[in-house]
Short mmCIF file of all heavy atoms in Angstrom, two decimals:
data_model
loop_
_atom_site.label_atom_id
_atom_site.label_comp_id
_atom_site.label_asym_id
_atom_site.label_seq_id
_atom_site.Cartn_x
_atom_site.Cartn_y
_atom_site.Cartn_z
N TYR A 1 8.46 -4.81 -4.04
CA TYR A 1 8.01 -5.49 -5.25
C TYR A 1 7.77 -6.98 -5.05
O TYR A 1 7.02 -7.59 -5.81
CB TYR A 1 9.01 -5.27 -6.40
CG TYR A 1 9.00 -3.83 -6.86
CD1 TYR A 1 10.01 -2.96 -6.46
CD2 TYR A 1 7.98 -3.34 -7.65
CE1 TYR A 1 9.99 -1.63 -6.86
CE2 TYR A 1 7.95 -2.02 -8.06
CZ TYR A 1 8.97 -1.16 -7.65
OH TYR A 1 8.93 0.15 -8.04
N THR A 2 8.39 -7.58 -4.04
CA THR A 2 8.24 -9.02 -3.83
C THR A 2 7.16 -9.38 -2.82
O THR A 2 6.57 -10.45 -2.91
CB THR A 2 9.58 -9.63 -3.37
OG1 THR A 2 9.99 -8.98 -2.15
CG2 THR A 2 10.65 -9.48 -4.43
N THR A 3 6.88 -8.48 -1.87
CA THR A 3 5.93 -8.80 -0.81
C THR A 3 4.83 -7.76 -0.66
O THR A 3 3.65 -8.08 -0.77
CB THR A 3 6.68 -8.93 0.54
OG1 THR A 3 7.72 -9.89 0.39
CG2 THR A 3 5.74 -9.37 1.64
N VAL A 4 5.19 -6.51 -0.39
CA VAL A 4 4.21 -5.47 -0.05
C VAL A 4 3.24 -5.21 -1.20
O VAL A 4 2.02 -5.30 -1.03
CB VAL A 4 4.92 -4.17 0.39
CG1 VAL A 4 3.89 -3.08 0.69
CG2 VAL A 4 5.82 -4.42 1.58
N ARG A 5 3.77 -4.85 -2.36
CA ARG A 5 2.92 -4.50 -3.50
C ARG A 5 2.02 -5.67 -3.92
O ARG A 5 0.80 -5.47 -4.08
CB ARG A 5 3.82 -4.04 -4.66
CG ARG A 5 3.07 -3.53 -5.85
CD ARG A 5 4.07 -3.00 -6.90
NE ARG A 5 3.37 -2.46 -8.03
CZ ARG A 5 2.91 -3.19 -9.05
NH1 ARG A 5 3.08 -4.48 -9.07
NH2 ARG A 5 2.26 -2.60 -10.03
N PRO A 6 2.57 -6.89 -4.10
CA PRO A 6 1.69 -8.00 -4.47
C PRO A 6 0.60 -8.28 -3.42
O PRO A 6 -0.53 -8.60 -3.77
CB PRO A 6 2.64 -9.20 -4.59
CG PRO A 6 3.98 -8.62 -4.82
CD PRO A 6 3.98 -7.30 -4.11
N PHE A 7 0.95 -8.11 -2.13
CA PHE A 7 -0.04 -8.34 -1.08
C PHE A 7 -1.20 -7.35 -1.20
O PHE A 7 -2.37 -7.75 -1.14
CB PHE A 7 0.60 -8.22 0.31
CG PHE A 7 -0.41 -8.25 1.42
CD1 PHE A 7 -0.91 -9.47 1.86
CD2 PHE A 7 -0.91 -7.08 1.98
CE1 PHE A 7 -1.88 -9.50 2.87
CE2 PHE A 7 -1.86 -7.12 2.98
CZ PHE A 7 -2.35 -8.33 3.43
N VAL A 8 -0.89 -6.07 -1.38
CA VAL A 8 -1.95 -5.04 -1.45
C VAL A 8 -2.82 -5.25 -2.69
O VAL A 8 -4.05 -5.17 -2.61
CB VAL A 8 -1.34 -3.63 -1.42
CG1 VAL A 8 -2.40 -2.56 -1.67
CG2 VAL A 8 -0.65 -3.39 -0.08
N LEU A 9 -2.22 -5.52 -3.82
CA LEU A 9 -3.00 -5.76 -5.04
C LEU A 9 -3.94 -6.96 -4.87
O LEU A 9 -5.12 -6.89 -5.23
CB LEU A 9 -2.08 -5.96 -6.24
CG LEU A 9 -1.35 -4.70 -6.72
CD1 LEU A 9 -0.27 -5.05 -7.74
CD2 LEU A 9 -2.33 -3.69 -7.30
N ALA A 10 -3.42 -8.05 -4.29
CA ALA A 10 -4.26 -9.24 -4.08
C ALA A 10 -5.36 -8.96 -3.06
O ALA A 10 -6.51 -9.35 -3.26
CB ALA A 10 -3.39 -10.42 -3.63
N ARG A 11 -5.00 -8.28 -1.97
CA ARG A 11 -6.00 -7.96 -0.94
C ARG A 11 -7.15 -7.16 -1.52
O ARG A 11 -8.32 -7.38 -1.21
CB ARG A 11 -5.32 -7.17 0.20
CG ARG A 11 -6.29 -6.77 1.31
CD ARG A 11 -5.77 -5.61 2.13
NE ARG A 11 -5.68 -4.40 1.32
CZ ARG A 11 -4.96 -3.33 1.68
NH1 ARG A 11 -4.25 -3.34 2.79
NH2 ARG A 11 -4.92 -2.27 0.90
N ASP A 12 -6.82 -6.21 -2.39
CA ASP A 12 -7.83 -5.34 -3.00
C ASP A 12 -8.40 -5.94 -4.29
O ASP A 12 -9.10 -5.27 -5.04
CB ASP A 12 -7.24 -3.95 -3.27
CG ASP A 12 -6.96 -3.18 -1.99
OD1 ASP A 12 -7.40 -3.62 -0.91
OD2 ASP A 12 -6.28 -2.14 -2.06
N GLU A 13 -8.09 -7.22 -4.53
CA GLU A 13 -8.61 -7.97 -5.66
C GLU A 13 -8.30 -7.31 -7.01
O GLU A 13 -9.09 -7.38 -7.95
CB GLU A 13 -10.11 -8.21 -5.50
CG GLU A 13 -10.44 -8.99 -4.24
CD GLU A 13 -11.91 -9.14 -3.99
OE1 GLU A 13 -12.73 -8.35 -4.54
OE2 GLU A 13 -12.28 -10.05 -3.23
N TYR A 14 -7.15 -6.65 -7.08
CA TYR A 14 -6.71 -5.97 -8.31
C TYR A 14 -7.76 -5.00 -8.84
O TYR A 14 -7.90 -4.82 -10.04
CB TYR A 14 -6.32 -7.01 -9.38
CG TYR A 14 -5.05 -7.72 -9.04
CD1 TYR A 14 -5.06 -8.86 -8.23
CD2 TYR A 14 -3.82 -7.27 -9.51
CE1 TYR A 14 -3.88 -9.52 -7.90
CE2 TYR A 14 -2.63 -7.92 -9.19
CZ TYR A 14 -2.68 -9.05 -8.39
OH TYR A 14 -1.51 -9.69 -8.06
N ARG A 15 -8.50 -4.37 -7.92
CA ARG A 15 -9.52 -3.40 -8.28
C ARG A 15 -9.18 -2.05 -7.66
O ARG A 15 -8.77 -1.97 -6.49
CB ARG A 15 -10.91 -3.83 -7.79
CG ARG A 15 -11.40 -5.07 -8.47
CD ARG A 15 -11.78 -4.77 -9.89
NE ARG A 15 -11.94 -6.00 -10.66
CZ ARG A 15 -11.75 -6.07 -11.96
NH1 ARG A 15 -11.42 -5.02 -12.65
NH2 ARG A 15 -11.91 -7.20 -12.60
N CYS A 16 -9.36 -0.99 -8.43
CA CYS A 16 -9.06 0.36 -7.98
C CYS A 16 -9.99 0.74 -6.84
O CYS A 16 -11.20 0.59 -6.94
CB CYS A 16 -9.22 1.34 -9.15
SG CYS A 16 -8.85 3.05 -8.72
N ARG A 17 -9.41 1.24 -5.75
CA ARG A 17 -10.17 1.61 -4.55
C ARG A 17 -10.46 3.11 -4.47
O ARG A 17 -11.04 3.58 -3.49
CB ARG A 17 -9.42 1.18 -3.29
CG ARG A 17 -9.23 -0.32 -3.19
CD ARG A 17 -10.58 -0.99 -3.12
NE ARG A 17 -10.43 -2.44 -3.12
CZ ARG A 17 -11.31 -3.27 -3.61
NH1 ARG A 17 -12.42 -2.81 -4.13
NH2 ARG A 17 -11.10 -4.56 -3.58
N ASN A 18 -10.09 3.85 -5.51
CA ASN A 18 -10.34 5.29 -5.51
C ASN A 18 -11.84 5.56 -5.54
O ASN A 18 -12.59 4.87 -6.23
CB ASN A 18 -9.67 5.94 -6.72
CG ASN A 18 -9.69 7.45 -6.64
OD1 ASN A 18 -9.45 8.03 -5.59
ND2 ASN A 18 -9.99 8.08 -7.76
N ARG A 19 -12.26 6.56 -4.78
CA ARG A 19 -13.68 6.93 -4.76
C ARG A 19 -13.89 8.15 -5.65
O ARG A 19 -13.21 9.15 -5.52
CB ARG A 19 -14.14 7.24 -3.35
CG ARG A 19 -14.18 6.00 -2.48
CD ARG A 19 -15.02 6.25 -1.23
NE ARG A 19 -15.35 5.00 -0.61
CZ ARG A 19 -16.42 4.26 -0.91
NH1 ARG A 19 -17.26 4.67 -1.82
NH2 ARG A 19 -16.64 3.12 -0.29
N ILE A 20 -14.87 8.03 -6.55
CA ILE A 20 -15.24 9.10 -7.46
C ILE A 20 -16.73 9.36 -7.25
O ILE A 20 -17.55 8.48 -7.49
CB ILE A 20 -14.97 8.71 -8.93
CG1 ILE A 20 -13.49 8.36 -9.11
CG2 ILE A 20 -15.39 9.83 -9.87
CD1 ILE A 20 -13.20 7.68 -10.45
N ASP A 21 -17.05 10.54 -6.76
CA ASP A 21 -18.45 10.90 -6.46
C ASP A 21 -19.12 9.86 -5.57
O ASP A 21 -20.26 9.46 -5.81
CB ASP A 21 -19.25 11.08 -7.76
CG ASP A 21 -18.71 12.20 -8.62
OD1 ASP A 21 -18.24 13.21 -8.04
OD2 ASP A 21 -18.77 12.09 -9.86
N GLY A 22 -18.37 9.38 -4.57
CA GLY A 22 -18.92 8.43 -3.61
C GLY A 22 -18.92 6.98 -4.06
O GLY A 22 -19.29 6.10 -3.30
N GLN A 23 -18.53 6.73 -5.29
CA GLN A 23 -18.50 5.37 -5.83
C GLN A 23 -17.05 4.91 -5.98
O GLN A 23 -16.19 5.69 -6.37
CB GLN A 23 -19.16 5.33 -7.21
CG GLN A 23 -20.61 5.73 -7.21
CD GLN A 23 -21.49 4.66 -6.59
OE1 GLN A 23 -21.19 3.48 -6.65
NE2 GLN A 23 -22.59 5.09 -5.99
N VAL A 24 -16.79 3.64 -5.70
CA VAL A 24 -15.47 3.07 -5.91
C VAL A 24 -15.25 2.91 -7.40
O VAL A 24 -16.12 2.42 -8.12
CB VAL A 24 -15.33 1.70 -5.19
CG1 VAL A 24 -14.00 1.05 -5.53
CG2 VAL A 24 -15.47 1.89 -3.69
N CYS A 25 -14.08 3.35 -7.89
CA CYS A 25 -13.77 3.25 -9.33
C CYS A 25 -13.92 1.81 -9.82
O CYS A 25 -14.64 1.56 -10.77
CB CYS A 25 -12.34 3.76 -9.59
SG CYS A 25 -11.74 3.47 -11.27
N GLY A 26 -13.22 0.87 -9.19
CA GLY A 26 -13.39 -0.54 -9.50
C GLY A 26 -12.69 -1.05 -10.75
O GLY A 26 -12.74 -2.24 -11.05
N ARG A 27 -12.04 -0.16 -11.50
CA ARG A 27 -11.32 -0.65 -12.69
C ARG A 27 -10.12 -1.48 -12.27
O ARG A 27 -9.71 -1.48 -11.12
CB ARG A 27 -10.86 0.53 -13.55
CG ARG A 27 -12.02 1.20 -14.26
CD ARG A 27 -11.55 2.21 -15.25
NE ARG A 27 -10.95 3.34 -14.53
CZ ARG A 27 -10.41 4.39 -15.12
NH1 ARG A 27 -10.35 4.46 -16.42
NH2 ARG A 27 -9.92 5.37 -14.40
N ARG A 28 -9.53 -2.18 -13.21
CA ARG A 28 -8.37 -3.04 -12.96
C ARG A 28 -7.22 -2.20 -12.39
O ARG A 28 -6.80 -1.22 -13.00
CB ARG A 28 -7.93 -3.72 -14.25
CG ARG A 28 -6.72 -4.59 -14.11
CD ARG A 28 -7.13 -6.02 -14.04
NE ARG A 28 -5.92 -6.86 -14.05
CZ ARG A 28 -5.71 -7.81 -13.17
NH1 ARG A 28 -6.62 -8.07 -12.26
NH2 ARG A 28 -4.63 -8.54 -13.22
N ALA A 29 -6.74 -2.58 -11.23
CA ALA A 29 -5.65 -1.85 -10.56
C ALA A 29 -4.32 -2.54 -10.85
O ALA A 29 -4.22 -3.76 -10.82
CB ALA A 29 -5.89 -1.81 -9.06
N ASN A 30 -3.32 -1.73 -11.13
CA ASN A 30 -1.98 -2.25 -11.34
C ASN A 30 -0.93 -1.44 -10.58
O ASN A 30 0.26 -1.60 -10.78
CB ASN A 30 -1.63 -2.29 -12.84
CG ASN A 30 -1.66 -0.91 -13.47
OD1 ASN A 30 -2.04 0.07 -12.85
ND2 ASN A 30 -1.26 -0.84 -14.72
N GLN A 31 -1.40 -0.55 -9.71
CA GLN A 31 -0.48 0.30 -8.94
C GLN A 31 -0.92 0.33 -7.49
O GLN A 31 -2.08 0.12 -7.16
CB GLN A 31 -0.46 1.71 -9.53
CG GLN A 31 -0.02 1.69 -10.98
CD GLN A 31 0.13 3.07 -11.56
OE1 GLN A 31 0.15 4.08 -10.86
NE2 GLN A 31 0.21 3.14 -12.89
N VAL A 32 0.05 0.61 -6.60
CA VAL A 32 -0.23 0.69 -5.17
C VAL A 32 0.11 2.11 -4.71
O VAL A 32 1.17 2.64 -5.03
CB VAL A 32 0.57 -0.36 -4.38
CG1 VAL A 32 0.41 -0.15 -2.88
CG2 VAL A 32 0.12 -1.76 -4.77
N ASP A 33 -0.81 2.70 -3.97
CA ASP A 33 -0.73 4.10 -3.56
C ASP A 33 -0.70 4.21 -2.05
O ASP A 33 -1.38 3.45 -1.35
CB ASP A 33 -1.96 4.83 -4.11
CG ASP A 33 -2.09 6.23 -3.58
OD1 ASP A 33 -1.17 7.04 -3.81
OD2 ASP A 33 -3.11 6.53 -2.93
N HIS A 34 0.08 5.16 -1.55
CA HIS A 34 0.08 5.48 -0.12
C HIS A 34 -1.14 6.34 0.18
O HIS A 34 -1.35 7.36 -0.47
CB HIS A 34 1.35 6.23 0.25
CG HIS A 34 2.58 5.38 0.20
ND1 HIS A 34 3.24 5.11 -0.97
CD2 HIS A 34 3.23 4.72 1.18
CE1 HIS A 34 4.27 4.32 -0.71
NE2 HIS A 34 4.30 4.07 0.58
N ILE A 35 -1.91 5.96 1.17
CA ILE A 35 -3.12 6.71 1.52
C ILE A 35 -2.76 8.00 2.25
O ILE A 35 -3.33 9.04 2.00
CB ILE A 35 -4.06 5.84 2.40
CG1 ILE A 35 -4.55 4.66 1.57
CG2 ILE A 35 -5.23 6.66 2.93
CD1 ILE A 35 -5.29 3.60 2.35
N GLY A 36 -1.80 7.94 3.12
CA GLY A 36 -1.40 9.13 3.88
C GLY A 36 0.08 9.41 3.66
O GLY A 36 0.51 9.72 2.56
N ASP A 37 0.84 9.24 4.73
CA ASP A 37 2.28 9.50 4.71
C ASP A 37 2.98 8.58 3.72
O ASP A 37 2.85 7.36 3.79
CB ASP A 37 2.83 9.28 6.13
CG ASP A 37 4.33 9.51 6.23
OD1 ASP A 37 4.96 9.94 5.24
OD2 ASP A 37 4.88 9.24 7.31
N ARG A 38 3.73 9.16 2.81
CA ARG A 38 4.39 8.35 1.77
C ARG A 38 5.51 7.47 2.32
O ARG A 38 6.04 6.63 1.61
CB ARG A 38 4.93 9.24 0.66
CG ARG A 38 6.11 10.09 1.08
CD ARG A 38 6.56 10.94 -0.06
NE ARG A 38 7.86 11.51 0.22
CZ ARG A 38 8.54 12.23 -0.63
NH1 ARG A 38 8.03 12.49 -1.80
NH2 ARG A 38 9.71 12.71 -0.30
N HIS A 39 5.84 7.66 3.58
CA HIS A 39 6.87 6.84 4.22
C HIS A 39 6.27 5.71 5.06
O HIS A 39 7.00 4.92 5.64
CB HIS A 39 7.80 7.70 5.08
CG HIS A 39 8.49 8.76 4.29
ND1 HIS A 39 9.46 8.49 3.36
CD2 HIS A 39 8.32 10.10 4.26
CE1 HIS A 39 9.87 9.61 2.80
NE2 HIS A 39 9.18 10.60 3.33
N ASP A 40 4.95 5.66 5.14
CA ASP A 40 4.26 4.63 5.92
C ASP A 40 3.86 3.51 4.97
O ASP A 40 2.92 3.63 4.19
CB ASP A 40 3.02 5.23 6.60
CG ASP A 40 2.37 4.28 7.57
OD1 ASP A 40 2.71 3.07 7.58
OD2 ASP A 40 1.50 4.73 8.35
N HIS A 41 4.60 2.40 5.02
CA HIS A 41 4.41 1.31 4.07
C HIS A 41 3.59 0.15 4.65
O HIS A 41 3.60 -0.94 4.10
CB HIS A 41 5.76 0.80 3.59
CG HIS A 41 6.65 1.89 3.06
ND1 HIS A 41 6.32 2.66 1.97
CD2 HIS A 41 7.84 2.35 3.49
CE1 HIS A 41 7.28 3.53 1.74
NE2 HIS A 41 8.21 3.37 2.65
N ARG A 42 2.88 0.40 5.76
CA ARG A 42 2.02 -0.65 6.32
C ARG A 42 0.88 -0.91 5.35
O ARG A 42 0.34 0.03 4.75
CB ARG A 42 1.47 -0.22 7.67
CG ARG A 42 2.53 -0.08 8.75
CD ARG A 42 1.94 0.45 10.03
NE ARG A 42 1.44 1.81 9.79
CZ ARG A 42 0.45 2.38 10.46
NH1 ARG A 42 -0.16 1.72 11.43
NH2 ARG A 42 0.07 3.60 10.19
N PRO A 43 0.50 -2.18 5.18
CA PRO A 43 -0.58 -2.50 4.23
C PRO A 43 -1.87 -1.72 4.47
O PRO A 43 -2.54 -1.35 3.51
CB PRO A 43 -0.79 -4.00 4.45
CG PRO A 43 0.53 -4.50 4.91
CD PRO A 43 1.09 -3.38 5.76
N GLU A 44 -2.20 -1.44 5.72
CA GLU A 44 -3.45 -0.71 5.98
C GLU A 44 -3.36 0.75 5.54
O GLU A 44 -4.37 1.45 5.47
CB GLU A 44 -3.86 -0.81 7.45
CG GLU A 44 -2.86 -0.26 8.43
CD GLU A 44 -1.86 -1.29 8.94
OE1 GLU A 44 -1.65 -2.33 8.30
OE2 GLU A 44 -1.26 -1.03 10.01
N MET A 45 -2.16 1.22 5.21
CA MET A 45 -1.99 2.59 4.73
C MET A 45 -1.72 2.62 3.22
O MET A 45 -1.27 3.63 2.68
CB MET A 45 -0.84 3.27 5.48
CG MET A 45 -1.12 3.42 6.97
SD MET A 45 -2.68 4.25 7.34
CE MET A 45 -2.37 5.87 6.67
N LEU A 46 -2.03 1.51 2.55
CA LEU A 46 -1.82 1.40 1.11
C LEU A 46 -3.12 0.95 0.45
O LEU A 46 -3.94 0.28 1.06
CB LEU A 46 -0.72 0.38 0.81
CG LEU A 46 0.66 0.68 1.41
CD1 LEU A 46 1.57 -0.53 1.28
CD2 LEU A 46 1.28 1.89 0.74
N GLN A 47 -3.29 1.33 -0.82
CA GLN A 47 -4.47 0.92 -1.57
C GLN A 47 -4.10 0.67 -3.02
O GLN A 47 -3.17 1.27 -3.55
CB GLN A 47 -5.56 1.98 -1.50
CG GLN A 47 -5.18 3.30 -2.14
CD GLN A 47 -6.24 4.36 -1.99
OE1 GLN A 47 -7.38 4.06 -1.65
NE2 GLN A 47 -5.88 5.62 -2.24
#
């Protein structure tokens, strides 16, 4: 909550990175999701 989550939200410009029909959602993001393994907390594995 102090480092990882704020970093990912700022890196992604607080925009949703989910793809819907090939398009990025782009709505205001307020959550951080694991792309693959839920135990892998590296920023490149979060969105």
Side-chain angles (χ1 to χ4, degrees):
Y1 291 102
T2 58
T3 305
V4 178
R5 185 176 182 277
F7 172 81
V8 173
L9 289 169
R11 179 201 65 197
D12 291 349
E13 300 175 339
Y14 289 86
R15 294 288 166 208
C16 181
R17 297 298 176 210
N18 190 43
R19 291 197 164 272
I20 302 168
D21 298 326
Q23 299 287 330
V24 174
C25 171
R27 289 188 291 178
R28 178 101 174 130
N30 61 354
Q31 301 185 14
V32 173
D33 171 61
H34 290 81
I35 295 170
D37 179 6
R38 70 181 194 176
H39 300 291
D40 188 348
H41 308 298
R42 294 175 296 153
E44 60 269 21
M45 296 306 295
L46 300 168
Q47 64 183 345

